[in-house]
């Protein structure tokens, strides 16, 4: 399957993507994680991305689209992928359509994770991620690691992201409303959008998403 996960910052895209990708045996492709990997390796792409991410802005399409297409072209994505955080504006959505058409492929679904704004702010304030692998995500209250400050999966140190400060979160929500929300209508016009209520336990949200995907393939 080829799936896009969309939703405001902190909706739980990365959290759900990790479980869904495992259940569906397809790679989890997160542009946020790709940027964070470049930042921790100190690459020129990472240096450029960091200034935008720290300000709560989108990294320019000129950098993001090529990076996402390169990742979708890896051998492990030949039979499907789960895109987390890409596309994030109409330009990226149109480029993705061109890429898929050019490879004779199509999307199966766009899962829209729906969460009220006050909940999103609480989730981001408590988010802790692993220094060794930023796809390992926890929450100080709602999704605690067994040992405080230590990743359950790989033992890495947990830390708070630079772009999770209150001011930056406000910018990121504004950017979401102005630039990312329009892609939901774009995909509604293609009859691809399935809305997933994303309040409740992490496992309950995964069950809702899996049930929605199962219903699509029946
Ligand atoms: P991302 O890395 O995509 O992160 P996000 O949108 O902030 O969060 P996500 O929805 O994945 O939430 P999570 O699972 O962690 O983006 C970061 C930045 O990268 C962007 O601001 C932008 O600058 C840049 N970027 C990325 N892609 C780009 C693109 N395509 N174009 C341009 N720029 C791009 O969950 C949040 C917290 O909630 C966690 O602590 C989690 O444990 C908790 N949680 C999750 N589910 C929960 C539940 N059901 N109940 C309670 N808590 C829950």
């Amino acid at each position: 399957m080829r799936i896009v996960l969309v939703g405001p910052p902190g909706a739980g895209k990365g959290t759900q993507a990790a479980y869904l990708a495992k259940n569906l045996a397809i790679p989890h492709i997160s542009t946020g994680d790709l940027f964070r990997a470049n930042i921790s390796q100190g690459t020129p792409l990472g240096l450029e991305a960091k200034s935008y991410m720290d300000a709560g802005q989108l990294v320019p399409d000129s950098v993001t689209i090529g990076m996402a297409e390169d990742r979708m072209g890896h051998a492990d994505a030949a039979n499907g992928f789960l895109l987390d955080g890409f596309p994030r504006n109409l330009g990226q959505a149109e480029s993705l359509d061109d890429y898929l058409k050019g490879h004779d492929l199509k999307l199966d679904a766009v899962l829209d994770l729906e969460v009220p704004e006050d909940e999103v702010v609480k989730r981001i304030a408590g988010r802790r991620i692993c220094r060794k692998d930023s796809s390992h995500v926890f929450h100080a209250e709602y999704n605690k690691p067994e040992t405080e400050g230590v990743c359950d999966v790989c033992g890495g140190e947990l830390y708070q992201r630079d772009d999770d400060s209150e001011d930056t979160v406000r910018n990121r929500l504004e950017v979401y409303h102005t630039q990312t929300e329009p892609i939901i209508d774009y995909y509604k016009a293609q009859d691809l959008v399935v809305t997933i209520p994303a309040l409740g336990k992490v496992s309950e949200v995964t069950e809702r998403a899996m049930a929605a995907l199962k219903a699509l393939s029946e």
Side-chain angles (χ1 to χ4, degrees), residues 12-15 31 36 57 59 85 88 92 127 138 172 200:
K13 299 183 294 294
T15 302
T31 39
R36 283 184 286 278
Q57 299 298 326
V59 181
R88 244 180 166 98
Q92 293 180 11
R127 170 160 51 192
F138 299 87
R172 287 163 58 198

Side-chain angles (χ1 to χ4, degrees), residues 7-16 30-33 35-36 49 52-54 56-61 64 84-89 92 113 119-120 123-124 126-129 137-140 142-143 161 163-164 172 198-203 205:
K13 299 183 294 294
T15 302
Q16 290 305 322
S30 158
T31 39
D33 286 348
F35 288 134
R36 283 184 286 278
Y52 292 96
M53 290 170 81
D54 285 354
Q57 299 298 326
L58 295 186
V59 181
D61 289 356
T64 308
D84 157 16
F86 181 85
R88 244 180 166 98
N89 61 25
Q92 293 180 11
L113 296 186
E119 173 69 13
V120 153
R123 287 188 185 182
I124 290 181
R127 170 160 51 192
R128 301 291 180 267
I129 66 167
V137 184
F138 299 87
H139 191 281
Y142 308 139
N143 187 15
R161 275 170 34 181
D163 62 341
D164 280 350
R172 287 163 58 198
L199 275 181
K201 286 187 193 154
V202 171
S203 58
V205 181

